[in-house]
Amino acid sequence: MLQVESLDVVIGEKPILRHIDLEVSGSEIVAVLGPSGSGKTTLLRAVAGLIEPAGGDILWEGKSMAGVPTHRRQFGLMFQGYALFPHMTVGGNVGFGLRMSGRDADGDLVAEALAWVGLEGFQGRQIDSLSGGERQRVALARTLAPRPRLVMLDEPLGALDRSLRQRLVTDTRRILEEREVTALVVTHDRDEAVAMSDRLTLMRDGEVVQSGRLEEILASPVDAWVSEFLA
Amino acid sequence: MRRIRWGWVAVSVVPVVFIGYFFAYPLFRILTLGLSEMGAGSTGLQARLFKVGWFTLWQAVLSTVLTLLVAAPLTWAVSSFDFKGRRLVMALVTVPFVLPTVVVGTAFVALGWRDSIGAILAAHVFFNVAVVVRTVSTLWTRIDPGLEEAARVLGASGWTVFRHVTLPLLRPAIAAASSIVFLFTFTSFGVVLILGGFHYATLEVEIYRQAVTLFDLPLAASLAIVQLLGVTGALYWYARYQEKTAVAWTLERGSNRRRARGRARYGMVAAVVGTLAALAVPLSVLVSRSFDSDFYTRLFMADPVVGVPVSSVWNSLTFAFVAMLLATLVGVMAATVITGRSGQISRWFDLTLMLPLGTSAVTIGFGFIVALDWPFDLRASAWLVPSAQALVAVPFVVRATVPTLRSIPSEEREAAAVLGASPFRVWREIDLPMVSRAAMVGAGFAFVISLGEFGATSFVARPNTATIPIMIFRLLSRPGAVSFGMAMAMSVVLALMTAGVVLAIDRARFGELGTF
């Protein structure tokens, strides 16, 4: 279970996140929804340990992650632009996390991860030969392959065109459910958030506005902005 | 039927004749001379070739590797971090690179490092650190930081991220920097001639000795051929390597430098201060030792052998000025042809004009004394020195002006033509105003190159018209502390003159960048 407790993040002099509280447990998928600039990506980066919080705590199964470097957290993060390594093949990318933890000498786990996303046999392909949708799935396979304790996706479909997005929303959700992972998805698109998650957390200007299931929030929105944003 | 455009013909003829007569034809004479010597199976050649060729190769490889290692910490610091004075650090590290070779040679002699391989390697590193720092950091600052972060999220620690992600991504820049350093050190002349004594000679130095000291022109010519083969081989390898490892990836547009914190801060400060301090040692020793006695005063006194040393300043300024005019005229004309004509002609022209850049200065100077006795004997002419220096500088002028000319939208020229401007008027009204600043920068480069030029000039300079580098070399070649002191004083003068011109160019360029 991931617990974010009263998290504050300051970049430069500017407070980006203020008193964020958040919980994700079991094989639950939580979507963080908010307009661009509301601090969603910063939240994921803080959980991953890529930026240091100014206050508050991040806990996994009750244990504080403060002082644990990024590479020891065993949290997966799929980046907005995918950040695929251009100098490695698809297989090299997907196997990277496995190699870092000394697993998968024979490539079976890479093949398995590629099968999850429906890209069997793509191991030898070069990154620049992939289409946008294929890149998205390679990035997802790379994130899932080392079997992280928590999977975070930053605008997982943001870079794709509309028709592709509609298809991949359901695909991505299905893949996450099959793997039974704890997942945190960040998006600015209401429909995407609803389709991909069990529960929503609404963010605005670095603060959590409201959390809960869609029906719950719609039944009792905290302010006019919430009902408008979700309409 | 196509109309012949005489204006174009005129513009093309000047660079073609210049390059043809001062470069292509001498090269042809070297080839015929050298090949007949090689055909004769001279035993002197084989023995020299093995010894000198082997030394040239291994010292160049070793110099390249050492330069990469020495430059690594500073490259890391300026690529990863933003700090006050970063621009100044980049400017300071570039100082050794723009210094004339004789000045660097003299500075290392001032350190007491004559006649040793260590001195040669140290001088090569001193010279080329800037090449690595600048080339590699340009790419490094633009690597998407998301790639390194992705590796960390996937469980890679700091060093592993560097080894598996950063370093492989930097490979093209490292290869480019290495090939440049290799070429510079493989064709190193002034530094080796001054610091190598009798024990160490590169192909360049050996060509000079055979041609100028021993007057064995055929042997020198065959060594020049070997040298050309080596340079061509290195360029070919680099082109092949680039093709093979070309990886397309999206570069960040801005830079990704951040402020250093914690332990990284100490590392950064150590890298910057340590490297700059090390680079400052030879120059500070040179300057302080040049004041040990009345060396500067002696530069104004007549000497029975070398004349009045300070008169070389006047010679250098005159030659550099003429060479600058020649190089700018030929270079801008060539750039006009390259950008004005599309397709084959342009590409062929571009390539031909870059050839002198790949050819060593020594080969150019040697070519002059071998070939320029036809159709008139020009070898005693006062034009010889500025012509040789202009030839060395032309590619730089072309490189400085072509991008600007290319950036002019063809619609602007077409609009002018529709409004009734003749091709010449189009050039005058549209191209010339835009290219004049770039041409000035190119002219500045040509001036600096001519001031410090030693390789080609050492073949063609006459005793009564010695340039500053030639004067320094003569003073260095004479025994005695006074001569050496005067060489140091003269070197400081040359270094200051060079720095002055480089600073002026930098300001001109900065103004240009400011308009973006």
Side-chain angles (χ1 to χ4, degrees), chain B residues 38-270:
Chain B
M38 283 167 145
S42 136
T43 47
L45 172 68
Q46 280 170 12
R48 291 250 160 252
L49 198 60
F50 190 75
K51 189 165 170 272
V52 177
W54 173 238
F55 173 75
T56 309
L57 187 66
W58 74 254
Q59 67 78 26
V61 171
L62 196 56
S63 297
T64 309
V65 172
L66 287 173
T67 308
L68 286 174
L69 291 177
V70 171
L74 185 61
T75 312
W76 163 76
V78 298
S79 307
S80 314
F81 306 114
D82 241 334
F83 50 90
K84 251 198 194 143
R86 187 179 172 279
R87 277 188 61 121
L88 182 69
V89 170
M90 289 302 264
L92 286 176
V93 82
T94 315
V95 169
F97 183 66
V98 300
L99 286 178
T101 50
V102 276
V103 173
V104 175
T106 312
F108 277 85
V109 179
L111 281 174
W113 274 20
R114 215 167 181 162
D115 293 359
S116 75
I117 180 67
I120 294 174
L121 294 174
H124 283 166
V125 171
F126 175 80
F127 240 124
N128 293 308
V129 161
V131 175
V132 178
V133 173
R134 296 192 86 113
T135 315
V136 178
S137 72
T138 308
L139 181 60
W140 198 337
T141 52
R142 294 175 63 207
I143 289 180
D144 179 3
L147 295 175
E148 291 172 8
E149 288 173 354
R152 281 165 63 198
V153 172
L154 289 166
S157 61
W159 174 245
T160 319
V161 173
F162 180 76
R163 217 164 51 94
H164 286 280
V165 178
T166 317
L167 197 59
L169 288 172
L170 288 178
R171 225 178 266 154
I174 295 172
S178 307
S179 354
I180 296 170
V181 176
F182 179 84
L183 277 181
F184 282 163
T185 51
F186 188 79
T187 60
S188 178
F189 176 61
V191 161
V192 181
L193 188 63
I194 292 170
L195 296 175
F198 290 106
H199 303 289
Y200 305 101
T202 51
L203 282 164
E204 296 279 286
V205 171
E206 194 60 29
I207 293 168
Y208 173 81
R209 279 200 192 132
Q210 292 299 333
V212 174
T213 319
L214 305 170
F215 225 72
D216 189 344
L217 295 185
L219 181 52
S222 43
L223 288 168
I225 292 175
V226 174
Q227 156 96 328
L228 277 173
L229 287 176
V231 170
T232 316
L235 286 173
Y236 179 75
W237 171 84
Y238 175 56
R240 282 290 304 271
Y241 178 85
Q242 271 205 317
E243 236 166 67
K244 228 172 41 193
T245 59
V247 177
W249 74 86
T250 44
L251 288 170
E252 291 284 294
R253 230 169 279 156
S255 82
N256 304 307
R257 296 188 296 268
R258 56 186 193 278
R259 297 218 161 271
R261 282 206 214 113
R263 263 195 331 182
R265 201 181 160 77
Y266 294 109
M268 181 202 88
V269 172

Side-chain angles (χ1 to χ4, degrees), chain A:
Chain A
M1 182 169 74
L2 173 76
Q3 286 166 288
V4 176
E5 289 179 348
S6 189
L7 185 74
D8 287 317
V9 170
V10 178
I11 294 176
E13 303 282 294
K14 212 172 131 207
I16 304 292
L17 297 181
R18 273 183 303 246
H19 305 307
I20 300 282
D21 288 303
L22 184 75
E23 255 187 52
V24 194
S25 54
S27 54
E28 188 183 29
I29 304 175
V30 170
V32 177
L33 176 62
S36 49
S38 55
K40 308 179 302 276
T41 298
T42 308
L43 173 62
L44 293 195
R45 292 169 61 81
V47 173
L50 292 168
I51 39 179
E52 198 118 331
D57 206 356
I58 295 159
L59 303 117
W60 181 259
E61 309 296 6
K63 259 181 59 192
S64 171
M65 289 286 111
V68 179
T70 300
H71 66 276
R72 299 239 175 80
R73 291 196 183 189
Q74 296 175 43
F75 292 168
L77 171 58
M78 183 175 140
F79 288 76
Q80 203 169 350
Y82 310 140
L84 295 173
F85 305 129
H87 59 293
M88 298 178 192
T89 58
V90 168
N93 268 280
V94 175
F96 189 88
L98 295 165
R99 288 201 303 281
M100 290 305 116
S101 52
R103 287 175 280 170
D104 194 42
D106 49 12
D108 286 352
L109 293 174
V110 171
E112 193 186 354
L114 283 171
W116 295 339
V117 298
L119 292 179
E120 289 91 346
F122 267 58
Q123 282 90 331
R125 292 279 294 271
Q126 295 296 325
I127 297 301
D128 58 10
S129 73
L130 301 177
S131 70
E134 287 166 347
R135 279 171 208 231
Q136 192 265 357
R137 290 196 253 173
V138 170
L140 187 58
R142 184 176 76 175
T143 308
L144 295 173
R147 294 175 167 76
R149 313 188 281 191
L150 169 73
V151 172
M152 295 183 281
L153 310 180
D154 188 359
E155 299 279 2
L157 306 168
L160 304 171
D161 56 51
R162 186 189 287 269
S163 61
L164 205 53
R165 276 161 84 149
Q166 281 165 351
R167 195 153 48 91
L168 286 181
V169 163
T170 37
D171 278 2
T172 308
R173 164 138 208 182
R174 181 184 45 79
I175 293 163
L176 291 177
E177 278 176 344
E178 281 171 4
R179 308 264 58 79
E180 295 182 342
V181 290
T182 312
L184 193 55
V185 181
V186 150
T187 173
H188 67 278
D189 186 294
R190 176 203 176 273
D191 296 339
E192 225 170 87
V194 172
M196 267 199 288
S197 68
D198 307 314
R199 212 149 53 76
L200 300 175
T201 288
L202 262 78
M203 273 183 74
R204 183 183 58 195
D205 297 336
E207 293 183 54
V208 171
V209 186
Q210 196 170 3
S211 293
R213 304 177 65 84
L214 178 67
E215 314 83 75
E216 293 166 13
I217 300 178
L218 283 176
S220 55
V222 292
D223 58 20
W225 180 84
V226 170
S227 40
E228 225 167 273
F229 191 71
L230 288 180

